Short mmCIF file of all heavy atoms in Angstrom, two decimals:
data_model
loop_
_atom_site.label_atom_id
_atom_site.label_comp_id
_atom_site.label_asym_id
_atom_site.label_seq_id
_atom_site.Cartn_x
_atom_site.Cartn_y
_atom_site.Cartn_z
N MET A 1 28.00 3.05 -17.97
CA MET A 1 27.44 2.82 -16.64
C MET A 1 25.99 2.39 -16.78
O MET A 1 25.22 2.98 -17.51
CB MET A 1 27.54 4.12 -15.83
CG MET A 1 26.95 3.95 -14.44
SD MET A 1 26.88 5.47 -13.48
CE MET A 1 28.59 5.77 -13.20
N ALA A 2 25.61 1.37 -16.07
CA ALA A 2 24.24 0.87 -16.12
C ALA A 2 23.33 1.72 -15.25
O ALA A 2 23.73 2.20 -14.20
CB ALA A 2 24.21 -0.58 -15.64
N THR A 3 22.11 1.89 -15.70
CA THR A 3 21.14 2.62 -14.90
C THR A 3 20.23 1.64 -14.19
O THR A 3 20.00 0.53 -14.68
CB THR A 3 20.29 3.56 -15.79
OG1 THR A 3 19.61 2.79 -16.76
CG2 THR A 3 21.15 4.61 -16.45
N HIS A 4 19.74 2.03 -13.05
CA HIS A 4 18.84 1.18 -12.28
C HIS A 4 17.41 1.61 -12.54
O HIS A 4 17.06 2.75 -12.32
CB HIS A 4 19.16 1.28 -10.79
CG HIS A 4 18.27 0.42 -9.96
ND1 HIS A 4 18.33 -0.96 -9.99
CD2 HIS A 4 17.31 0.73 -9.08
CE1 HIS A 4 17.44 -1.44 -9.17
NE2 HIS A 4 16.80 -0.45 -8.60
N ASP A 5 16.60 0.70 -13.01
CA ASP A 5 15.19 0.97 -13.29
C ASP A 5 14.39 0.79 -12.01
O ASP A 5 14.37 -0.29 -11.43
CB ASP A 5 14.68 0.02 -14.38
CG ASP A 5 13.25 0.28 -14.77
OD1 ASP A 5 12.64 1.25 -14.28
OD2 ASP A 5 12.72 -0.51 -15.59
N THR A 6 13.72 1.85 -11.53
CA THR A 6 12.96 1.78 -10.29
C THR A 6 11.62 1.10 -10.49
O THR A 6 10.88 0.90 -9.54
CB THR A 6 12.72 3.18 -9.70
OG1 THR A 6 12.00 3.96 -10.65
CG2 THR A 6 14.02 3.85 -9.35
N LYS A 7 11.28 0.75 -11.71
CA LYS A 7 10.00 0.10 -11.98
C LYS A 7 10.17 -1.36 -12.39
O LYS A 7 9.37 -1.90 -13.10
CB LYS A 7 9.24 0.86 -13.07
CG LYS A 7 8.82 2.24 -12.66
CD LYS A 7 7.99 2.90 -13.73
CE LYS A 7 7.53 4.25 -13.27
NZ LYS A 7 6.65 4.90 -14.21
N THR A 8 11.21 -1.99 -11.91
CA THR A 8 11.44 -3.38 -12.27
C THR A 8 10.49 -4.30 -11.51
O THR A 8 10.03 -3.99 -10.43
CB THR A 8 12.89 -3.79 -11.95
OG1 THR A 8 13.14 -3.56 -10.58
CG2 THR A 8 13.86 -3.03 -12.81
N GLN A 9 10.25 -5.44 -12.07
CA GLN A 9 9.42 -6.46 -11.42
C GLN A 9 10.17 -6.98 -10.20
O GLN A 9 11.31 -7.39 -10.29
CB GLN A 9 9.14 -7.61 -12.39
CG GLN A 9 8.31 -7.22 -13.58
CD GLN A 9 6.83 -7.30 -13.30
OE1 GLN A 9 6.40 -7.99 -12.41
NE2 GLN A 9 6.05 -6.59 -14.07
N HIS A 10 9.53 -6.97 -9.06
CA HIS A 10 10.16 -7.42 -7.82
C HIS A 10 9.45 -8.65 -7.27
O HIS A 10 9.95 -9.30 -6.38
CB HIS A 10 10.11 -6.27 -6.80
CG HIS A 10 10.72 -6.61 -5.49
ND1 HIS A 10 12.07 -6.79 -5.33
CD2 HIS A 10 10.16 -6.80 -4.27
CE1 HIS A 10 12.31 -7.07 -4.07
NE2 HIS A 10 11.19 -7.09 -3.40
N GLY A 11 8.32 -8.96 -7.76
CA GLY A 11 7.49 -10.02 -7.21
C GLY A 11 6.13 -9.44 -6.94
O GLY A 11 5.99 -8.25 -6.71
N THR A 12 5.14 -10.27 -6.98
CA THR A 12 3.78 -9.78 -6.82
C THR A 12 3.39 -9.81 -5.34
O THR A 12 3.59 -10.80 -4.65
CB THR A 12 2.80 -10.65 -7.63
OG1 THR A 12 3.22 -10.62 -9.00
CG2 THR A 12 1.40 -10.11 -7.55
N ARG A 13 2.86 -8.70 -4.89
CA ARG A 13 2.38 -8.57 -3.52
C ARG A 13 0.97 -8.00 -3.54
O ARG A 13 0.53 -7.42 -4.52
CB ARG A 13 3.27 -7.63 -2.71
CG ARG A 13 4.73 -7.95 -2.73
CD ARG A 13 5.09 -8.90 -1.61
NE ARG A 13 6.48 -9.27 -1.64
CZ ARG A 13 7.45 -8.64 -1.01
NH1 ARG A 13 7.20 -7.56 -0.31
NH2 ARG A 13 8.68 -9.08 -1.09
N ARG A 14 0.28 -8.14 -2.42
CA ARG A 14 -1.05 -7.56 -2.25
C ARG A 14 -1.08 -6.76 -0.96
O ARG A 14 -0.57 -7.21 0.06
CB ARG A 14 -2.11 -8.65 -2.15
CG ARG A 14 -2.39 -9.37 -3.43
CD ARG A 14 -3.54 -10.35 -3.29
NE ARG A 14 -4.69 -9.66 -2.72
CZ ARG A 14 -5.55 -10.20 -1.86
NH1 ARG A 14 -5.40 -11.44 -1.46
NH2 ARG A 14 -6.56 -9.52 -1.40
N LEU A 15 -1.66 -5.59 -1.02
CA LEU A 15 -1.91 -4.80 0.18
C LEU A 15 -3.36 -5.04 0.57
O LEU A 15 -4.26 -4.87 -0.25
CB LEU A 15 -1.67 -3.31 -0.10
CG LEU A 15 -1.84 -2.37 1.08
CD1 LEU A 15 -0.86 -2.69 2.19
CD2 LEU A 15 -1.67 -0.93 0.61
N VAL A 16 -3.58 -5.47 1.80
CA VAL A 16 -4.93 -5.76 2.26
C VAL A 16 -5.21 -4.98 3.54
O VAL A 16 -4.31 -4.68 4.32
CB VAL A 16 -5.17 -7.27 2.48
CG1 VAL A 16 -5.09 -8.04 1.19
CG2 VAL A 16 -4.19 -7.83 3.49
N VAL A 17 -6.47 -4.63 3.72
CA VAL A 17 -6.88 -3.90 4.92
C VAL A 17 -7.87 -4.74 5.72
O VAL A 17 -8.78 -5.34 5.16
CB VAL A 17 -7.49 -2.52 4.55
CG1 VAL A 17 -8.70 -2.64 3.67
CG2 VAL A 17 -7.80 -1.71 5.79
N ASP A 18 -7.66 -4.78 7.01
CA ASP A 18 -8.59 -5.43 7.93
C ASP A 18 -9.57 -4.34 8.37
O ASP A 18 -9.28 -3.54 9.24
CB ASP A 18 -7.82 -6.00 9.12
CG ASP A 18 -8.73 -6.64 10.16
OD1 ASP A 18 -9.97 -6.53 10.06
OD2 ASP A 18 -8.17 -7.25 11.11
N ARG A 19 -10.73 -4.32 7.76
CA ARG A 19 -11.71 -3.26 8.02
C ARG A 19 -12.20 -3.26 9.46
O ARG A 19 -12.59 -2.23 9.98
CB ARG A 19 -12.86 -3.36 7.04
CG ARG A 19 -12.40 -3.11 5.62
CD ARG A 19 -13.48 -2.45 4.80
NE ARG A 19 -12.97 -2.11 3.49
CZ ARG A 19 -12.42 -0.95 3.19
NH1 ARG A 19 -12.30 -0.03 4.08
NH2 ARG A 19 -12.00 -0.72 1.96
N SER A 20 -12.17 -4.42 10.12
CA SER A 20 -12.63 -4.46 11.51
C SER A 20 -11.61 -3.80 12.45
O SER A 20 -11.97 -3.34 13.53
CB SER A 20 -12.89 -5.89 11.95
OG SER A 20 -11.70 -6.65 11.95
N ALA A 21 -10.34 -3.73 12.03
CA ALA A 21 -9.31 -3.10 12.85
C ALA A 21 -9.09 -1.63 12.51
O ALA A 21 -8.61 -0.86 13.33
CB ALA A 21 -8.00 -3.86 12.70
N CYS A 22 -9.44 -1.24 11.30
CA CYS A 22 -9.19 0.13 10.82
C CYS A 22 -10.07 1.13 11.55
O CYS A 22 -11.27 0.94 11.69
CB CYS A 22 -9.45 0.21 9.32
SG CYS A 22 -9.17 1.86 8.64
N ALA A 23 -9.45 2.23 12.00
CA ALA A 23 -10.18 3.30 12.68
C ALA A 23 -10.30 4.54 11.81
O ALA A 23 -10.83 5.56 12.24
CB ALA A 23 -9.50 3.65 14.00
N GLY A 24 -9.81 4.48 10.58
CA GLY A 24 -9.96 5.59 9.63
C GLY A 24 -9.11 6.80 9.95
O GLY A 24 -9.50 7.93 9.65
N HIS A 25 -7.92 6.61 10.51
CA HIS A 25 -7.03 7.73 10.82
C HIS A 25 -6.55 8.46 9.57
O HIS A 25 -6.29 9.65 9.62
CB HIS A 25 -5.80 7.25 11.61
CG HIS A 25 -6.12 6.73 12.96
ND1 HIS A 25 -6.53 7.52 14.00
CD2 HIS A 25 -6.09 5.46 13.44
CE1 HIS A 25 -6.74 6.78 15.07
NE2 HIS A 25 -6.49 5.51 14.76
N GLY A 26 -6.40 7.74 8.47
CA GLY A 26 -5.99 8.34 7.21
C GLY A 26 -4.50 8.45 7.01
O GLY A 26 -4.05 9.04 6.03
N MET A 27 -3.73 7.90 7.90
CA MET A 27 -2.27 8.00 7.77
C MET A 27 -1.76 7.22 6.56
O MET A 27 -0.80 7.64 5.92
CB MET A 27 -1.60 7.54 9.05
CG MET A 27 -1.94 8.45 10.22
SD MET A 27 -1.25 7.90 11.77
CE MET A 27 0.46 8.37 11.52
N CYS A 28 -2.40 6.11 6.23
CA CYS A 28 -1.95 5.28 5.11
C CYS A 28 -2.08 6.01 3.78
O CYS A 28 -1.14 6.05 2.99
CB CYS A 28 -2.70 3.96 5.08
SG CYS A 28 -4.50 4.11 4.99
N TYR A 29 -3.23 6.60 3.52
CA TYR A 29 -3.39 7.27 2.23
C TYR A 29 -2.74 8.64 2.20
O TYR A 29 -2.42 9.15 1.14
CB TYR A 29 -4.85 7.32 1.76
CG TYR A 29 -5.87 7.84 2.73
CD1 TYR A 29 -6.08 9.19 2.89
CD2 TYR A 29 -6.65 6.96 3.46
CE1 TYR A 29 -7.03 9.67 3.76
CE2 TYR A 29 -7.62 7.42 4.34
CZ TYR A 29 -7.80 8.79 4.49
OH TYR A 29 -8.75 9.24 5.35
N SER A 30 -2.49 9.22 3.36
CA SER A 30 -1.72 10.46 3.39
C SER A 30 -0.27 10.19 3.04
O SER A 30 0.36 10.98 2.35
CB SER A 30 -1.78 11.11 4.78
OG SER A 30 -3.09 11.50 5.08
N ARG A 31 0.27 9.07 3.52
CA ARG A 31 1.66 8.72 3.29
C ARG A 31 1.89 8.08 1.93
O ARG A 31 2.92 8.28 1.30
CB ARG A 31 2.12 7.77 4.39
CG ARG A 31 3.52 7.22 4.25
CD ARG A 31 4.61 8.28 4.33
NE ARG A 31 4.82 8.73 5.67
CZ ARG A 31 5.74 8.30 6.49
NH1 ARG A 31 6.59 7.38 6.08
NH2 ARG A 31 5.85 8.77 7.69
N SER A 32 0.92 7.29 1.45
CA SER A 32 1.12 6.48 0.24
C SER A 32 -0.05 6.61 -0.74
O SER A 32 -0.74 5.63 -1.03
CB SER A 32 1.32 5.02 0.64
OG SER A 32 2.41 4.89 1.52
N PRO A 33 -0.27 7.80 -1.29
CA PRO A 33 -1.42 8.00 -2.18
C PRO A 33 -1.35 7.25 -3.50
O PRO A 33 -2.37 7.13 -4.18
CB PRO A 33 -1.43 9.51 -2.40
CG PRO A 33 -0.02 9.94 -2.20
CD PRO A 33 0.52 9.02 -1.13
N ASP A 34 -0.20 6.70 -3.85
CA ASP A 34 -0.09 5.92 -5.09
C ASP A 34 -0.72 4.54 -4.96
O ASP A 34 -1.04 3.92 -5.97
CB ASP A 34 1.37 5.75 -5.51
CG ASP A 34 1.99 7.04 -5.99
OD1 ASP A 34 1.24 7.98 -6.32
OD2 ASP A 34 3.24 7.11 -6.02
N VAL A 35 -0.90 4.07 -3.73
CA VAL A 35 -1.44 2.72 -3.55
C VAL A 35 -2.70 2.69 -2.68
O VAL A 35 -3.41 1.69 -2.69
CB VAL A 35 -0.38 1.75 -2.97
CG1 VAL A 35 0.74 1.52 -3.98
CG2 VAL A 35 0.16 2.22 -1.65
N VAL A 36 -2.97 3.77 -1.94
CA VAL A 36 -4.14 3.80 -1.07
C VAL A 36 -4.87 5.13 -1.24
O VAL A 36 -4.26 6.19 -1.24
CB VAL A 36 -3.75 3.65 0.42
CG1 VAL A 36 -4.99 3.55 1.30
CG2 VAL A 36 -2.85 2.45 0.65
N ASP A 37 -6.18 5.06 -1.38
CA ASP A 37 -7.04 6.24 -1.41
C ASP A 37 -8.02 6.09 -0.26
O ASP A 37 -7.89 5.18 0.56
CB ASP A 37 -7.76 6.33 -2.76
CG ASP A 37 -8.30 7.73 -3.05
OD1 ASP A 37 -8.17 8.63 -2.21
OD2 ASP A 37 -8.89 7.90 -4.13
N CYS A 38 -9.01 6.97 -0.18
CA CYS A 38 -10.01 6.84 0.87
C CYS A 38 -11.41 6.91 0.28
O CYS A 38 -11.63 7.50 -0.77
CB CYS A 38 -9.83 7.91 1.93
SG CYS A 38 -10.16 9.59 1.38
N ASP A 39 -12.34 6.31 1.01
CA ASP A 39 -13.74 6.39 0.60
C ASP A 39 -14.37 7.63 1.24
O ASP A 39 -13.69 8.41 1.90
CB ASP A 39 -14.49 5.10 0.94
CG ASP A 39 -14.60 4.82 2.43
OD1 ASP A 39 -14.34 5.71 3.27
OD2 ASP A 39 -14.96 3.68 2.78
N ASP A 40 -15.66 7.81 1.05
CA ASP A 40 -16.35 9.00 1.57
C ASP A 40 -16.36 9.08 3.09
O ASP A 40 -16.55 10.15 3.66
CB ASP A 40 -17.79 9.04 1.05
CG ASP A 40 -17.86 9.29 -0.45
OD1 ASP A 40 -16.88 9.83 -1.01
OD2 ASP A 40 -18.88 8.93 -1.06
N SER A 41 -16.13 7.96 3.75
CA SER A 41 -16.12 7.94 5.22
C SER A 41 -14.72 8.05 5.80
O SER A 41 -14.54 8.04 7.01
CB SER A 41 -16.76 6.64 5.71
OG SER A 41 -18.11 6.57 5.29
N GLY A 42 -13.71 8.14 4.92
CA GLY A 42 -12.33 8.27 5.38
C GLY A 42 -11.59 6.96 5.60
O GLY A 42 -10.51 6.95 6.17
N TYR A 43 -12.17 5.86 5.14
CA TYR A 43 -11.52 4.56 5.28
C TYR A 43 -10.73 4.23 4.02
O TYR A 43 -11.07 4.68 2.93
CB TYR A 43 -12.55 3.48 5.58
CG TYR A 43 -13.08 3.61 6.99
CD1 TYR A 43 -14.21 4.36 7.26
CD2 TYR A 43 -12.41 3.03 8.06
CE1 TYR A 43 -14.68 4.52 8.55
CE2 TYR A 43 -12.86 3.17 9.35
CZ TYR A 43 -14.00 3.92 9.59
OH TYR A 43 -14.44 4.08 10.88
N PRO A 44 -9.66 3.44 4.15
CA PRO A 44 -8.78 3.18 3.01
C PRO A 44 -9.43 2.34 1.91
O PRO A 44 -10.23 1.45 2.17
CB PRO A 44 -7.61 2.42 3.63
CG PRO A 44 -8.12 1.86 4.89
CD PRO A 44 -9.20 2.78 5.36
N VAL A 45 -9.05 2.69 0.69
CA VAL A 45 -9.42 1.95 -0.51
C VAL A 45 -8.11 1.59 -1.20
O VAL A 45 -7.32 2.48 -1.54
CB VAL A 45 -10.30 2.80 -1.45
CG1 VAL A 45 -10.55 2.08 -2.76
CG2 VAL A 45 -11.59 3.20 -0.77
N ILE A 46 -7.86 0.32 -1.37
CA ILE A 46 -6.64 -0.15 -2.02
C ILE A 46 -6.79 0.06 -3.52
O ILE A 46 -7.77 -0.39 -4.12
CB ILE A 46 -6.38 -1.63 -1.69
CG1 ILE A 46 -6.39 -1.88 -0.18
CG2 ILE A 46 -5.08 -2.10 -2.32
CD1 ILE A 46 -5.43 -1.04 0.63
N LEU A 47 -5.82 0.73 -4.13
CA LEU A 47 -5.93 1.12 -5.53
C LEU A 47 -5.50 0.05 -6.53
O LEU A 47 -5.85 0.13 -7.70
CB LEU A 47 -5.12 2.40 -5.78
CG LEU A 47 -5.60 3.62 -5.01
CD1 LEU A 47 -4.66 4.80 -5.29
CD2 LEU A 47 -7.03 3.97 -5.39
N HIS A 48 -4.71 -0.92 -6.11
CA HIS A 48 -4.19 -1.95 -7.02
C HIS A 48 -4.48 -3.33 -6.44
O HIS A 48 -4.19 -3.58 -5.27
CB HIS A 48 -2.69 -1.80 -7.22
CG HIS A 48 -2.27 -0.43 -7.66
ND1 HIS A 48 -2.39 0.00 -8.96
CD2 HIS A 48 -1.76 0.62 -6.97
CE1 HIS A 48 -1.96 1.24 -9.05
NE2 HIS A 48 -1.57 1.64 -7.85
N ASP A 49 -5.00 -4.23 -7.27
CA ASP A 49 -5.24 -5.60 -6.82
C ASP A 49 -3.93 -6.29 -6.46
O ASP A 49 -3.85 -7.03 -5.49
CB ASP A 49 -5.96 -6.41 -7.89
CG ASP A 49 -7.41 -5.98 -8.06
OD1 ASP A 49 -8.00 -5.47 -7.09
OD2 ASP A 49 -7.93 -6.16 -9.17
N THR A 50 -2.92 -6.05 -7.27
CA THR A 50 -1.59 -6.59 -7.00
C THR A 50 -0.57 -5.47 -7.16
O THR A 50 -0.77 -4.51 -7.91
CB THR A 50 -1.23 -7.74 -7.96
OG1 THR A 50 -1.28 -7.28 -9.31
CG2 THR A 50 -2.16 -8.93 -7.77
N LEU A 51 0.53 -5.62 -6.45
CA LEU A 51 1.64 -4.66 -6.53
C LEU A 51 2.81 -5.39 -7.15
O LEU A 51 3.28 -6.38 -6.59
CB LEU A 51 2.00 -4.16 -5.13
CG LEU A 51 0.85 -3.56 -4.33
CD1 LEU A 51 1.25 -3.38 -2.88
CD2 LEU A 51 0.41 -2.26 -4.95
N GLU A 52 3.26 -4.92 -8.29
CA GLU A 52 4.31 -5.63 -9.01
C GLU A 52 5.57 -4.81 -9.21
O GLU A 52 6.60 -5.38 -9.54
CB GLU A 52 3.78 -6.09 -10.37
CG GLU A 52 2.65 -7.09 -10.25
CD GLU A 52 2.09 -7.52 -11.58
OE1 GLU A 52 2.50 -6.95 -12.62
OE2 GLU A 52 1.26 -8.43 -11.60
N ILE A 53 5.52 -3.50 -9.02
CA ILE A 53 6.72 -2.70 -9.22
C ILE A 53 7.25 -2.20 -7.88
O ILE A 53 6.51 -2.03 -6.92
CB ILE A 53 6.47 -1.52 -10.20
CG1 ILE A 53 5.38 -0.60 -9.69
CG2 ILE A 53 6.14 -2.03 -11.59
CD1 ILE A 53 5.19 0.65 -10.52
N ASP A 54 8.54 -2.01 -7.84
CA ASP A 54 9.21 -1.65 -6.60
C ASP A 54 8.63 -0.40 -5.95
O ASP A 54 8.51 -0.34 -4.73
CB ASP A 54 10.71 -1.46 -6.84
CG ASP A 54 11.43 -2.77 -7.13
OD1 ASP A 54 10.86 -3.84 -6.86
OD2 ASP A 54 12.57 -2.71 -7.64
N GLU A 55 8.28 0.61 -6.75
CA GLU A 55 7.74 1.86 -6.20
C GLU A 55 6.45 1.61 -5.41
O GLU A 55 6.25 2.17 -4.34
CB GLU A 55 7.44 2.86 -7.31
CG GLU A 55 8.64 3.45 -7.96
CD GLU A 55 8.25 4.33 -9.14
OE1 GLU A 55 7.15 4.17 -9.70
OE2 GLU A 55 9.07 5.19 -9.49
N HIS A 56 5.58 0.78 -5.95
CA HIS A 56 4.31 0.50 -5.28
C HIS A 56 4.51 -0.37 -4.05
O HIS A 56 3.84 -0.18 -3.03
CB HIS A 56 3.32 -0.15 -6.24
CG HIS A 56 2.81 0.80 -7.27
ND1 HIS A 56 2.12 0.38 -8.38
CD2 HIS A 56 2.88 2.15 -7.37
CE1 HIS A 56 1.79 1.42 -9.12
NE2 HIS A 56 2.24 2.51 -8.52
N ILE A 57 5.43 -1.32 -4.12
CA ILE A 57 5.72 -2.17 -2.97
C ILE A 57 6.31 -1.32 -1.84
O ILE A 57 5.92 -1.47 -0.68
CB ILE A 57 6.64 -3.33 -3.36
CG1 ILE A 57 5.90 -4.29 -4.31
CG2 ILE A 57 7.13 -4.08 -2.12
CD1 ILE A 57 6.77 -5.33 -4.95
N ALA A 58 7.20 -0.40 -2.18
CA ALA A 58 7.78 0.49 -1.17
C ALA A 58 6.72 1.38 -0.54
O ALA A 58 6.69 1.58 0.68
CB ALA A 58 8.90 1.33 -1.79
N ALA A 59 5.81 1.92 -1.37
CA ALA A 59 4.73 2.77 -0.85
C ALA A 59 3.81 1.97 0.06
O ALA A 59 3.37 2.46 1.11
CB ALA A 59 3.95 3.40 -2.00
N ALA A 60 3.50 0.74 -0.32
CA ALA A 60 2.65 -0.11 0.51
C ALA A 60 3.33 -0.45 1.83
O ALA A 60 2.68 -0.46 2.89
CB ALA A 60 2.29 -1.39 -0.25
N THR A 61 4.62 -0.69 1.79
CA THR A 61 5.38 -0.97 3.00
C THR A 61 5.32 0.22 3.96
O THR A 61 5.16 0.05 5.17
CB THR A 61 6.83 -1.32 2.66
OG1 THR A 61 6.83 -2.47 1.80
CG2 THR A 61 7.65 -1.61 3.89
N GLU A 62 5.41 1.42 3.42
CA GLU A 62 5.30 2.63 4.25
C GLU A 62 3.90 2.76 4.84
O GLU A 62 3.75 3.13 6.01
CB GLU A 62 5.64 3.87 3.43
CG GLU A 62 7.10 4.01 3.12
CD GLU A 62 7.41 5.31 2.40
OE1 GLU A 62 6.74 6.32 2.67
OE2 GLU A 62 8.32 5.30 1.57
N ALA A 63 2.89 2.48 4.05
CA ALA A 63 1.51 2.56 4.55
C ALA A 63 1.30 1.59 5.71
O ALA A 63 0.68 1.94 6.71
CB ALA A 63 0.52 2.26 3.42
N VAL A 64 1.82 0.38 5.58
CA VAL A 64 1.72 -0.61 6.65
C VAL A 64 2.42 -0.10 7.90
O VAL A 64 1.89 -0.20 9.02
CB VAL A 64 2.31 -1.97 6.19
CG1 VAL A 64 2.45 -2.93 7.37
CG2 VAL A 64 1.46 -2.59 5.09
N ALA A 65 3.59 0.48 7.73
CA ALA A 65 4.39 0.93 8.86
C ALA A 65 3.74 2.08 9.64
O ALA A 65 3.92 2.16 10.85
CB ALA A 65 5.78 1.35 8.38
N VAL A 66 2.99 2.95 8.97
CA VAL A 66 2.43 4.11 9.67
C VAL A 66 1.05 3.85 10.25
O VAL A 66 0.53 4.68 10.99
CB VAL A 66 2.37 5.37 8.77
CG1 VAL A 66 3.75 5.77 8.31
CG2 VAL A 66 1.41 5.20 7.61
N CYS A 67 0.45 2.72 9.99
CA CYS A 67 -0.90 2.43 10.48
C CYS A 67 -0.88 2.20 11.99
O CYS A 67 -0.32 1.20 12.46
CB CYS A 67 -1.50 1.22 9.77
SG CYS A 67 -3.16 0.82 10.36
N PRO A 68 -1.50 3.09 12.76
CA PRO A 68 -1.48 2.92 14.22
C PRO A 68 -2.32 1.74 14.71
O PRO A 68 -2.09 1.24 15.81
CB PRO A 68 -2.04 4.24 14.75
CG PRO A 68 -2.85 4.79 13.63
CD PRO A 68 -2.21 4.30 12.36
N GLU A 69 -3.25 1.29 13.91
CA GLU A 69 -4.11 0.17 14.29
C GLU A 69 -3.60 -1.17 13.77
O GLU A 69 -4.19 -2.21 14.04
CB GLU A 69 -5.54 0.39 13.77
CG GLU A 69 -6.15 1.72 14.20
CD GLU A 69 -6.28 1.88 15.69
OE1 GLU A 69 -6.39 0.86 16.41
OE2 GLU A 69 -6.27 3.03 16.16
N ARG A 70 -2.53 -1.14 12.97
CA ARG A 70 -1.99 -2.34 12.32
C ARG A 70 -3.05 -3.05 11.51
O ARG A 70 -3.16 -4.28 11.50
CB ARG A 70 -1.36 -3.29 13.35
CG ARG A 70 -0.23 -2.68 14.13
CD ARG A 70 0.94 -2.40 13.21
NE ARG A 70 2.03 -1.75 13.91
CZ ARG A 70 2.60 -0.63 13.49
NH1 ARG A 70 2.21 -0.05 12.40
NH2 ARG A 70 3.60 -0.11 14.16
N ALA A 71 -3.85 -2.25 10.79
CA ALA A 71 -4.94 -2.79 10.00
C ALA A 71 -4.53 -3.11 8.56
O ALA A 71 -5.32 -3.67 7.81
CB ALA A 71 -6.09 -1.79 9.98
N LEU A 72 -3.32 -2.77 8.17
CA LEU A 72 -2.83 -3.06 6.82
C LEU A 72 -1.79 -4.15 6.86
O LEU A 72 -0.97 -4.21 7.78
CB LEU A 72 -2.21 -1.81 6.19
CG LEU A 72 -3.16 -0.67 5.87
CD1 LEU A 72 -2.38 0.56 5.46
CD2 LEU A 72 -4.12 -1.07 4.78
N MET A 73 -1.82 -5.01 5.83
CA MET A 73 -0.86 -6.10 5.72
C MET A 73 -0.39 -6.19 4.27
O MET A 73 -1.19 -6.01 3.36
CB MET A 73 -1.48 -7.42 6.13
CG MET A 73 -1.86 -7.48 7.59
SD MET A 73 -3.08 -8.77 7.92
CE MET A 73 -4.57 -7.98 7.33
N LEU A 74 0.87 -6.48 4.10
CA LEU A 74 1.43 -6.70 2.77
C LEU A 74 1.67 -8.19 2.64
O LEU A 74 2.45 -8.78 3.40
CB LEU A 74 2.72 -5.92 2.62
CG LEU A 74 3.34 -5.84 1.23
CD1 LEU A 74 2.36 -5.22 0.23
CD2 LEU A 74 4.61 -5.03 1.27
N GLU A 75 0.97 -8.82 1.70
CA GLU A 75 1.04 -10.27 1.52
C GLU A 75 1.70 -10.61 0.20
O GLU A 75 1.56 -9.89 -0.78
CB GLU A 75 -0.37 -10.87 1.52
CG GLU A 75 -1.13 -10.66 2.78
CD GLU A 75 -2.54 -11.23 2.71
OE1 GLU A 75 -3.05 -11.49 1.59
OE2 GLU A 75 -3.14 -11.42 3.78
N SER A 76 2.40 -11.72 0.17
CA SER A 76 2.93 -12.25 -1.09
C SER A 76 1.83 -12.97 -1.80
O SER A 76 1.02 -13.67 -1.18
CB SER A 76 4.09 -13.22 -0.83
OG SER A 76 5.15 -12.53 -0.23
N SER A 77 1.77 -12.80 -3.12
CA SER A 77 0.73 -13.48 -3.91
C SER A 77 1.28 -14.72 -4.57
O SER A 77 2.40 -14.82 -4.87
CB SER A 77 0.20 -12.55 -4.99
OG SER A 77 -0.45 -11.47 -4.41
#
């Protein structure tokens, strides 16, 4: 039986934050700490320039989905 590798290359994506729209709620880094952290003021800091593995892309997708200000975007590189 073949095993499925959860760290396979899926395509390169970028998680970007629109700082003018962000209100610093912290939901993104609470939900997806593998791809988003926070600065001293509580605003998101993107941890990876590019997202290449499925786990990180899934975490970034969740961060985008929970942002009440819609300040996060997942872009194809």
